[in-house]
Amino acid sequence: MIQKIKGTMDILPDETPLFRYIEGIMREEAERYGFGEIRTPTFENTDLFVRGVGDTTDVVQKEMYTFTDRDENRSISLRPEGTASVARALIEHGKCVDTMPQKYYYIISCFRHEAPQAGRSREFFQFGTEMFGADSPAADATSISLAASVIRRLGLTNVKLHMNSIGCKECRPQYRDALVSYFSKYKGELCETCNKRLETNPLRLLDCKSKICSEIAKGAPKTLDHLCDKCKNHFDSLCQYLDAMNIEYTVDPTIVRGLDYYTGTVFEFIAEGIAAQSTVCGGGRYDGLVESLGGPALSGIGFAMGLTRIILAMKQLGTDKVEIANPKLYIASLGDKAALKALEIAERLRRQGTFVECDIMGRSLKAQMKYANKLNAEYTLIIGDSEVESGKAQLRDMKNGTQEELELDSFTI
Ligand code: HAM
């Protein structure tokens, strides 16, 4: 038997209503904030992610699904995230010279070859937003406010905002040096990955989950103490905006994010009480990304939320139950003429937008009624030869058992 690929998932009809409910809130909130939906291809030139996401990141080095195109012998990758594609589309469609800010949102599947576990899969779903051309702290506050309002509307009281600033190209090199000199003292104790990262991406040592490394990281220099005046003022005013907007946050120096394009503000929404994969949303500013992809110098800020992680956080609170629609009417029939009549009525009512079910299995009347109960139909109608002849039948309200006679060819429900 052929089974699904490890790390992918089938979402069956009893789970899709929850996904659709969550996606509905995401769409509604994004559109209320003036973001328009963008759809970009599932696969792109590998170079886009190498240049956009960064060639020292785990995502690009270890996790991309990369293959050679049959036609042109070029390297293609399934998208591991959405930001680089949106930035590419912005440049490609001449939107960099359009009225600013440019605001986009997406709900997409992404692909990363990671070790699957609860909240981590190889194909996963993200809701993301990207805003270009606004470099004020008010833009950061707006992006964060949008993420926070989705989380609030989903009732996720267990999810908290953590924020940091990782500086810009002016102040980051100096901070990087400070980190390298601090961590170099512990070279013998750091894990293998961190020893490598010390040369390639020392910032990532701050969020290593290994016990020893995270203990060492506690004493490391803090980004916020090494920011240039511009970055410091930006971060301070962002905090003021969030205070004024009544959005709670914790300034957390361990938030450094795993993708190379980030500059300045970075943030994560973390679910409390979930041991692993607790980051339900991650984002930040990426002021050099558009330029690095061949566009003009244009600032950007955005975030993405993982749908399955949102669901895990909802499950923890027991708020993951959504109503599944049940039929308004089940038409049970006895005999060929009645079966024909049942389908005729079902067709008429469905054209009016009513959710109707009727027998297409040739079940006995008893079995049909059992099925109607299973479907939780609101009303049932039983048609036999005499009902076809008289053109009348009894409509039964399944909740209180009351009956009402109606005209088969003209009733509505
Ligand atoms: P990211 O932190 O790599 O950022 O992913 C964002 C969110 O996607 C994570 O917080 C998590 O909820 C979810 N996620 C990531 N990997 C997996 C996985 N393997 N399985 C399940 N869920 C996962 C980005 O992707 C950036 N593009 C976000 C962004 C947009 N920054 C600025 N704009």
Side-chain angles (χ1 to χ4, degrees):
M1 206 217 118
I2 300 171
Q3 295 187 320
K4 64 181 160 54
I5 306 270
K6 181 177 169 185
T8 64
M9 62 189 117
D10 298 313
I11 305 168
L12 300 180
D14 55 348
E15 288 173 298
T16 42
L18 178 59
F19 275 81
R20 292 226 313 252
Y21 163 73
I22 296 169
E23 287 163 9
I25 286 181
M26 290 167 165
R27 282 180 197 286
E28 233 174 75
E29 285 303 308
E31 285 169 20
R32 272 184 198 168
Y33 278 73
F35 285 68
E37 186 181 359
I38 183 167
R39 299 190 185 189
T40 59
T42 311
F43 53 86
E44 300 261 11
N45 280 303
T46 301
D47 259 0
L48 173 67
F49 303 117
V50 173
R51 272 162 60 189
V53 176
D55 54 2
T56 67
T57 58
D58 284 353
V59 168
V60 167
Q61 277 191 347
K62 305 186 201 157
E63 297 167 4
M64 276 208 301
Y65 282 91
T66 298
F67 56 96
T68 306
D69 190 291
R70 279 176 203 267
D71 302 329
E72 298 183 44
N73 215 18
R74 69 184 156 194
S75 180
I76 279 178
S77 296
L78 300 185
R79 63 177 165 221
E81 58 107 51
T83 313
S85 300
V86 177
R88 178 203 48 71
L90 181 91
I91 302 167
E92 200 164 328
H93 296 275
K95 299 289 184 193
C96 295
V97 291
D98 215 329
T99 314
M100 295 296 158
Q102 288 284 308
K103 301 193 280 189
Y104 303 91
Y105 83 89
Y106 48 86
I107 298 177
I108 54 170
S109 54
C110 300
F111 307 84
R112 295 184 194 174
H113 191 277
E114 295 191 85
Q117 54 170 253
R120 191 162 72 193
S121 48
R122 292 181 173 173
E123 180 183 20
F124 59 96
F125 306 95
Q126 272 192 352
F127 159 63
T129 76
E130 313 295 351
M131 171 155 58
F132 299 91
D135 54 15
S136 66
D140 304 25
T142 304
S143 175
I144 289 173
S145 148
L146 168 51
S149 71
V150 170
I151 284 163
R152 193 181 316 114
R153 274 194 65 191
L154 291 170
L156 294 174
T157 47
N158 51 348
V159 170
K160 305 284 183 224
L161 168 61
H162 294 241
M163 277 200 326
N164 191 20
S165 171
I166 55 170
C168 63
K169 59 176 190 274
E170 305 302 325
C171 49
R172 183 103 55 89
Q174 184 248 95
Y175 176 61
R176 191 191 144 106
D177 291 347
L179 274 184
V180 172
S181 86
Y182 171 80
F183 280 111
S184 296
K185 292 185 288 195
Y186 300 95
K187 255 188 150 166
E189 295 164 59
L190 294 172
C191 73
E192 201 186 322
T193 322
C194 280
N195 265 316
K196 272 194 213 136
R197 282 177 175 162
L198 196 52
E199 276 148 41
T200 57
N201 200 348
L203 219 61
R204 292 303 311 280
L205 269 75
L206 295 173
D207 73 350
C208 178
K209 301 287 179 280
S210 108
K211 215 170 171 196
I212 297 174
C213 299
S214 53
E215 209 41 55
I216 296 173
K218 279 186 189 155
K222 309 264 182 286
T223 44
L224 292 175
D225 298 330
H226 288 77
L227 296 180
C228 61
D229 285 347
K230 196 168 162 236
C231 286
K232 191 171 180 330
N233 290 337
H234 186 102
F235 193 69
D236 288 346
S237 10
L238 169 59
C239 293
Q240 280 173 18
Y241 275 107
L242 294 180
D243 291 338
M245 294 158 88
N246 236 332
I247 296 173
E248 277 179 33
Y249 59 89
T250 305
V251 175
D252 180 346
T254 67
I255 303 295
V256 290
R257 310 286 297 129
L259 312 173
D260 277 358
Y261 48 60
Y262 290 113
T263 52
T265 310
V266 284
F267 58 90
E268 290 185 356
F269 284 83
I270 301 176
E272 285 171 350
I274 293 183
Q277 311 315 325
S278 54
T279 305
V280 303
C281 172
R285 202 158 253 299
Y286 43 83
D287 289 347
L289 176 64
V290 175
E291 204 173 2
S292 76
L293 295 177
L298 200 60
S299 61
I301 178 149
F303 64 80
M305 294 183 184
L307 267 81
T308 37
R309 292 198 194 167
I310 295 256
I311 289 175
L312 280 182
M314 289 173 84
K315 284 207 159 106
Q316 202 197 15
L317 296 179
T319 55
D320 59 318
K321 314 279 177 293
V322 293
E323 269 185 30
I324 297 181
N326 33 331
K328 185 91 184 165
L329 174 67
Y330 183 89
I331 311 171
S333 57
L334 198 60
D336 290 346
K337 277 191 198 145
L340 196 70
K341 192 75 189 166
L343 220 61
E344 186 191 312
I345 298 169
E347 181 68 20
R348 181 171 64 77
L349 294 175
R350 282 170 179 157
R351 286 187 194 196
Q352 292 170 4
T354 313
F355 180 3
V356 184
E357 291 269 15
C358 63
D359 181 55
I360 49 169
M361 298 293 294
R363 286 191 168 106
S364 70
L365 188 61
K366 196 172 160 211
Q368 287 185 56
M369 293 314 287
K370 208 170 149 195
Y371 186 58
N373 260 326
K374 188 173 174 210
L375 293 178
N376 220 354
E378 232 177 287
Y379 295 93
T380 54
L381 191 65
I382 302 178
I383 311 178
D385 285 345
S386 62
E387 281 79 11
V388 175
E389 220 152 89
S390 67
K392 292 190 170 107
Q394 297 290 326
L395 179 75
R396 186 185 173 85
D397 183 328
M398 296 299 276
K399 232 187 232 137
N400 55 27
T402 53
Q403 306 223 54
E404 175 195 344
E405 191 177 71
L406 43 75
E407 299 279 341
L408 289 182
D409 287 337
S410 57
F411 80 95
T412 54
I413 193 166

